[in-house]
Amino acid sequence: MQIEIAEFGKMSQSGNSLLKLIQNNDLPILDLLVREAVQNSLDAGICVEGHDSVYVDIGIKDVNVPNFAKHLDGITDRLNEKFGVSPQKAIYIEDANTTGLTGSLDFKHSPNGNIFKLIYGISMAQETPGAGGSWGLGKTVYFRLGIGLVVYYSHILNDDGQYEHRLAVTLVENEKLPETIIPKSAGKVPSGIAWWGQRVAPVSYDTIPITDEAMIRDILQSLSMKPFEGKRLGTKIIIPFIDEQQLLIKHEINPDENKPWESNAVDYIRVAMQRWYAPRLANEKYTYGKYLDGHINGERLEKDDFLPLFLELQMMYNAAVIGSKSKRYFVNDIQIRNYFENNTINNAGRVAYKKFTKNELDMLAPLNGPSPFTCVNEKNPLGEQNAPLMAYARRPGMIVNYETDGEWCKGLSATEEHEYLVAIFVPNSITKLVNPDNDVLDLEAYLRKSEMADHTSWTDIIIKSKPLDIVEKIRSQILRKIKGSYENKEEVKEKQGMNKLARNVGKMLLPPTGFGRRASSRNRAGGTKLPTDIGSRGNSFAIVSQKYLDTGALEVHFQLKLAKNVAVFTIELFIASEGGKISATDWESADSVGTPFPAVITGIFFPNTVGLFGRSAAQKSDNKVLHAVRIEKNDVPVECSGNLIFTCTDPHVQVEISMKPEGSVDNG
């Protein structure tokens, strides 16, 4: 491949300036990579029959230095001298079902083509609906991962309707360093930027991507990569000569917590993809286009692989988008007046939130999972108590930021050491502005324009010489809703007194089978000894003890007292949530979780009760899950003990047991 060295001239960029262009010092380099690379791939998603997702794979491969270097005219010897004697690695980003490096090979004939935007251009305004930032600014993160060398390969349908392989190489380095890789030319100021490809014409110095399939296969093989085959369209970006340890950052946030993903880059990327794309990753309910089919080193990231916090964030995101009443989370509409064409109650979007216990987040022994703050690399500014954790995301499904203090959390009460308040806001993207600008017509465009090139925050902007405060009003509404919900909930709790029965059976704790892998069993349930819960007017139901059986089921021993005039009583399982108990019917509803109810009764026994009880009837959900038992009682007062055995198939729920008597006395 021939070399083309950029000339340094008027209004031109240099390698040094490009490397500083998006120097985000708040996020680790691997987080920046995941955010930028995955977003680019999702923005480039196309309609492919049989695929409702965008395939993205990020991983690390070996580099055969001599075989790779021989293709790069002008720097072959330099690469061999510097890297040829030691093993070298490359980080790659591969996507499929995407547009690829389309447009004329010579970008001068197609200045808006993807070839120019990704390889040769910088700082072009992003025009794709729902995308964000500027073409080229975010991609400078690629040049900071290794030595500045980036290989771009793509398999596309060209303008003639033919499948075509394309490959080009770019190098961006600090030209001011004493030892550079790009050859220096006598009498010319070094620019620090070079490209490799094929000459546009024999007499031209300009290069374009190569299309020679044999050469492309040889280059990819030297980087342990394979070309796309058949009709599979996509792009591979390969960054050789990385130093894996330099890419890893040992966070001092909660240093006593276990953070296994900080030991190698692959595990870090696995968590980073969940951290920033939890709303869209493996989420077939994602409504704004194709969902993200994420892979790490070729291995698909399934929901079973998620850390509990990120699985909850995805379900909260879905609840906020759908907007239907949720019994698992609080979901509130956010309305802003005077700025939008309509004043519907959710014209600005919805916020979903919940207080999670350590048990729900797998933080208790023996799992000892990380806290929400550690999962998102944020400090807890409140020390012994826990600050709220706020997240917000717009249409592309990338979480813009996590906040633990400042304007997004102002006025929210801290939670105690054993629980965490987590919230996510999802805007109503299609809401039209009353006074739009040429390129800011709706809320999605407003928020997109408010983001910096690295998409790390929302700030209010000026439209038609008028400063707006839409983001500020959204924050204010969110805080008011959350504060109101929990204040009202505490008042209700005081009034309810002893009405709630036998709550929080919880999760049985099983040891993990290895970080980042699917557990050998997801059948976990458990908890601590339950408080006694006494009913009123002669009826009561109290948990005495609980134990785990060899089968993994939980056996609960209880005391039951029923008045003479109680004719029938029902013992039923519910799932506990911040919004109240979730019944099997509500859980399995398409507007709620939509999966089979996770708690299953396998047995109920009443020793020494001959003559007290009559017939019993099993109550099953639509998915044939036995969740309740209805039992007839004779016309006598009853005071006895019993045993209930059940299993729980969801590791992230807490089970609640309720006894409801029927007759002239009603006590739930």
Side-chain angles (χ1 to χ4, degrees):
M1 300 175 71
Q2 283 83 36
I3 187 172
E4 173 189 352
I5 301 174
E7 292 190 2
F8 189 78
K10 297 177 181 178
M11 299 287 287
S12 64
Q13 294 279 1
S14 68
N16 180 49
S17 65
L18 280 181
L19 292 172
K20 293 180 178 179
L21 193 59
I22 191 171
Q23 285 283 11
N24 183 308
N25 295 314
D26 298 328
L27 291 177
I29 189 71
L30 289 178
D31 286 274
L32 288 173
L33 169 69
V34 169
R35 287 165 62 93
E36 170 67 14
V38 175
Q39 188 60 68
N40 285 348
S41 297
L42 291 172
D43 289 345
I46 58 176
C47 293
V48 177
E49 185 177 354
H51 297 278
D52 55 358
S53 63
V54 174
Y55 174 100
V56 180
D57 180 21
I58 305 178
I60 294 179
K61 296 287 189 180
D62 294 321
V63 178
N64 185 320
V65 178
N67 287 349
F68 174 63
K70 71 182 182 182
H71 292 284
L72 300 180
D73 179 39
I75 65 170
T76 300
D77 293 340
R78 184 78 180 101
L79 292 179
N80 283 323
E81 291 170 5
K82 192 169 184 178
F83 303 107
V85 296
S86 58
Q88 296 297 322
K89 299 286 186 180
I91 195 166
Y92 70 89
I93 306 100
E94 175 182 342
D95 62 45
N97 309 326
T98 53
T99 53
L101 301 176
T102 55
S104 172
L105 283 169
D106 185 355
F107 71 85
K108 294 178 181 178
H109 300 301
S110 181
N112 294 317
N114 286 349
I115 285 181
F116 180 69
K117 291 176 179 178
L118 188 59
I119 303 175
Y120 303 111
I122 197 73
S123 192
M124 293 183 63
Q126 175 63 276
E127 298 175 351
T128 304
S134 299
W135 279 99
L137 291 181
K139 81 181 182 194
T140 59
V141 68
Y142 300 152
F143 306 130
R144 294 162 52 194
L145 287 165
I147 62 170
L149 199 61
V150 182
V151 179
Y152 300 94
Y153 159 70
S154 191
H155 188 224
I156 67 159
L157 269 174
N158 63 24
D159 294 339
D160 297 326
Q162 302 297 313
Y163 289 97
E164 185 175 82
H165 297 269
R166 296 177 169 184
L167 185 146
V169 179
T170 301
L171 175 57
V172 175
E173 63 179 358
N174 185 352
E175 75 281 358
K176 296 181 179 180
L177 294 178
E179 293 187 6
T180 58
I181 295 176
I182 298 174
K184 292 181 172 60
S185 300
K188 291 187 176 182
V189 178
S191 66
I193 303 173
W195 299 275
W196 283 263
Q198 61 189 20
R199 299 288 182 209
V200 175
V203 295
S204 174
Y205 184 67
D206 295 338
T207 61
I208 58 176
I210 65 172
T211 58
D212 185 321
E213 188 172 342
M215 182 182 292
I216 289 175
R217 286 182 179 274
D218 195 44
I219 294 172
L220 292 176
Q221 187 176 24
S222 71
L223 298 167
S224 303
M225 301 293 293
K226 295 180 179 180
F228 291 107
E229 302 290 354
K231 297 182 179 180
R232 189 171 176 85
L233 304 176
T235 300
K236 301 186 184 190
I237 298 174
I238 309 153
I239 305 163
F241 308 117
I242 64 167
D243 185 332
E244 186 175 355
Q245 292 307 308
Q246 285 189 1
L247 298 179
L248 292 166
I249 293 179
K250 302 295 183 182
H251 285 89
E252 294 305 317
I253 300 170
N254 302 317
D256 296 333
E257 290 192 33
N258 184 29
K259 293 169 278 189
W261 59 84
E262 291 188 355
S263 61
N264 68 80
V266 169
D267 283 341
Y268 192 98
I269 294 168
R270 179 180 288 111
V271 172
M273 192 176 288
Q274 299 171 53
R275 180 180 297 137
W276 301 115
Y277 288 95
R280 197 165 178 175
L281 179 61
N283 183 11
E284 296 184 12
K285 294 183 179 180
Y286 178 76
T287 60
Y288 295 118
K290 294 173 176 289
Y291 70 89
L292 171 59
D293 182 16
H295 293 68
I296 307 298
N297 255 18
E299 181 180 339
R300 176 176 278 112
L301 251 173
E302 305 281 6
K303 289 184 182 180
D304 286 342
D305 302 316
F306 284 21
L307 291 174
L309 172 69
F310 301 127
L311 184 60
E312 295 288 353
L313 278 169
Q314 181 176 117
M315 292 191 290
M316 292 165 72
Y317 176 89
N318 288 342
V321 171
I322 296 171
S324 59
K325 186 177 180 181
S326 170
K327 294 191 177 182
R328 186 175 179 84
Y329 313 107
F330 284 111
V331 179
N332 289 152
D333 295 304
I334 303 299
Q335 181 184 37
I336 306 297
R337 298 185 181 274
N338 303 323
Y339 286 120
F340 303 127
E341 287 184 350
N342 62 71
N343 282 320
T344 57
I345 59 173
N346 69 321
N347 63 4
R350 298 187 186 92
V351 60
Y353 48 98
K354 172 180 166 64
K355 287 181 180 178
F356 295 96
T357 65
K358 285 187 172 182
N359 195 31
E360 290 175 298
L361 298 176
D362 287 352
M363 292 177 61
L364 301 180
L367 294 176
N368 297 318
S371 71
F373 304 114
T374 299
C375 288
V376 301
N377 289 337
E378 289 289 339
K379 291 182 179 180
N380 175 19
L382 301 183
E384 293 184 359
Q385 290 185 306
N386 292 321
L389 180 63
M390 302 286 296
Y392 45 99
R394 55 181 182 84
R395 188 186 306 174
M398 181 181 75
I399 291 179
V400 175
N401 205 2
Y402 293 97
E403 309 269 358
T404 57
D405 58 6
E407 295 301 318
W408 283 91
C409 303
K410 190 175 182 179
L412 289 180
S413 301
T415 55
E416 296 304 317
E417 187 268 343
H418 67 280
E419 65 179 3
Y420 300 84
L421 171 60
V422 180
I424 184 169
F425 170 69
V426 183
N428 187 348
S429 297
I430 62 174
T431 298
K432 302 294 184 182
L433 270 65
V434 172
N435 296 306
D437 200 357
N438 291 334
D439 57 347
V440 182
L441 303 177
D442 52 26
L443 179 57
E444 177 74 13
Y446 179 90
L447 296 174
R448 181 181 68 192
K449 196 174 185 67
S450 81
E451 292 178 8
M452 303 300 288
D454 51 3
H455 319 292
T456 57
S457 64
W458 288 342
T459 56
D460 280 308
I461 59 177
I462 297 174
I463 295 181
K464 293 183 177 179
S465 301
K466 181 180 178 180
L468 305 184
D469 57 357
I470 294 176
V471 173
E472 180 184 341
K473 288 184 180 295
I474 287 174
R475 285 196 300 253
S476 176
Q477 283 285 325
I478 290 171
L479 296 174
R480 187 178 300 119
K481 295 286 188 179
I482 295 177
K483 289 165 66 177
S485 294
Y486 283 109
E487 288 170 2
N488 294 337
K489 185 175 169 59
E490 292 304 317
E491 293 175 3
V492 171
K493 275 186 175 181
E494 293 176 4
K495 295 178 181 179
Q496 284 178 335
M498 303 299 290
N499 284 344
K500 286 194 175 181
L501 305 172
R503 55 193 325 190
N504 298 340
V505 173
K507 297 186 286 181
M508 179 180 67
L509 303 176
L510 292 177
T513 59
F515 172 76
R517 296 285 187 265
R518 189 180 307 176
S520 58
S521 173
R522 302 298 288 180
N523 183 17
R524 296 183 282 170
T528 57
K529 185 176 179 180
L530 303 177
T532 300
D533 214 341
I534 304 297
S536 61
R537 300 179 65 183
N539 300 314
S540 67
F541 180 84
I543 302 298
V544 177
S545 64
Q546 59 183 2
K547 67 178 180 179
Y548 303 112
L549 305 179
D550 293 339
T551 60
L554 184 64
E555 183 178 44
V556 178
H557 180 58
F558 59 85
Q559 291 287 341
L560 178 65
K561 184 179 179 181
L562 297 170
K564 178 180 178 180
N565 51 3
V566 172
V568 179
F569 66 97
T570 302
I571 293 181
E572 184 173 1
L573 301 183
F574 294 84
I575 301 302
S577 76
E578 291 292 342
K581 297 186 298 185
I582 305 177
S583 67
T585 300
D586 289 336
W587 180 281
E588 293 181 356
S589 168
D591 294 332
S592 183
V593 182
T595 61
F597 191 66
V600 184
I601 295 175
T602 59
I604 185 168
F605 309 98
F606 294 93
N608 305 317
T609 57
V610 177
L612 298 181
F613 298 137
R615 292 176 299 179
S616 63
Q619 297 184 356
K620 295 185 178 182
S621 69
D622 291 340
N623 285 296
K624 310 302 180 184
V625 176
L626 176 57
H627 63 92
V629 178
R630 191 169 186 268
I631 302 171
E632 297 178 355
K633 185 185 76 66
N634 292 333
D635 190 22
V636 293
V638 171
E639 189 169 352
C640 66
S641 62
N643 294 299
L644 176 70
I645 301 174
F646 70 90
T647 60
C648 183
T649 60
D650 190 324
H652 302 115
V653 300
Q654 290 180 309
V655 180
E656 184 171 320
I657 307 173
S658 174
M659 187 281 293
K660 180 181 179 181
E662 300 177 35
S664 60
V665 177
D666 185 15
N667 174 49

